[in-house]
Amino acid sequence: QSVLTQPPSVSGAPGQRVTISCTGSSSNIGADYDVHWYQQLPGTAPKLLIYANTDRPSGVPDRFSGSKSGTSASLAITGLQAEDAADYYCQSYDNSLSAYVFGTGTKVTVL
Amino acid sequence: EVQLVESGGGLVQPGGSLRLSCAASGFTVNDNYMSWVRQAPGKGLEWVSVIYSGGSTFYADSVKGRFTISRDNSKNTLYLQMSSLRADDTAVYYCARMILAVKYAFDIWGQGTTATVSS
């Protein structure tokens, strides 16, 4: 069982804005560990989308943005496009488990 | 080009062993933090193990005592030795690099290799 909880699915029409939450606890996100986000297109390896809560690697469109507050983090996708249909995972470190942890994953559907 | 290529997956019986390899190009495995992450069929991502640049190793509780992570500097390759395999170890196994420039996020991933544990 993952210690980071995400909604199983979110959906939106092209052009809309969707957000994905990632809820943790005082031993991971709340302990000030960075949150990273990954996009996994069907049948492919995950790809780093957001690192250190808010930063984008080069090549990632600025339609993707991240935020963090307290024991939670969020990923926002603005101007939703068909190519954004994928699974998204948050990730952090948990000091009670002494382990890197992933969120439960969220499937984004573009209507 | 910075790249990771996994190999070594296959079908193995419960209780058996398998060694996965992850060949790196464009950077030096020994100088970086390297992890294995797995994904069971239809499931989410699960971190398995990490080896830090200094050589320290850590494991998820689910594999502790059964899996061993290691690296070979001469071959610039990361390994995962898996033993006492169980059906719930069936997954695609990815190797991934973690670097300071992205605050040790998993920035480069291999394409994955599939381990299937079944009789």
Side-chain angles (χ1 to χ4, degrees), chain B residues 27-108:
Chain B
F27 72 98
T28 302
V29 165
N30 252 37
D31 293 344
N32 289 273
Y33 295 4
M34 298 293 299
S35 270
W36 288 96
V37 176
R38 69 183 180 182
Q39 186 169 35
K43 302 297 185 182
L45 301 172
E46 179 188 17
W47 172 78
V48 172
S49 180
V50 64
I51 183 166
Y52 293 132
S53 50
S56 299
T57 59
F58 296 89
Y59 301 89
D61 286 344
S62 58
V63 307
K64 203 171 294 182
R66 301 186 300 121
F67 290 12
T68 302
I69 190 171
S70 63
R71 62 194 181 194
D72 184 329
N73 191 34
S74 66
K75 296 182 179 179
N76 205 28
T77 297
L78 178 74
Y79 300 100
L80 186 68
Q81 178 68 47
M82 307 188 295
S83 60
S84 301
L85 284 162
R86 312 184 302 224
D88 62 358
D89 294 317
T90 294
V92 175
Y93 285 76
Y94 299 99
C95 59
R97 185 184 74 170
M98 307 162 71
I99 61 170
L100 177 59
V102 290
K103 298 293 185 70
Y104 297 111
F106 302 104
D107 75 321
I108 302 294

Side-chain angles (χ1 to χ4, degrees), chain A residues 3 20 29 31 34 37 39 41 49 54 70 73 75 79 85 90 104 110:
Chain A
V3 297
I20 300 170
I29 299 175
D34 286 325
W37 291 89
Q39 178 193 60
L41 297 170
L49 200 63
T54 59
L75 173 71
C90 59
T104 48
V110 182

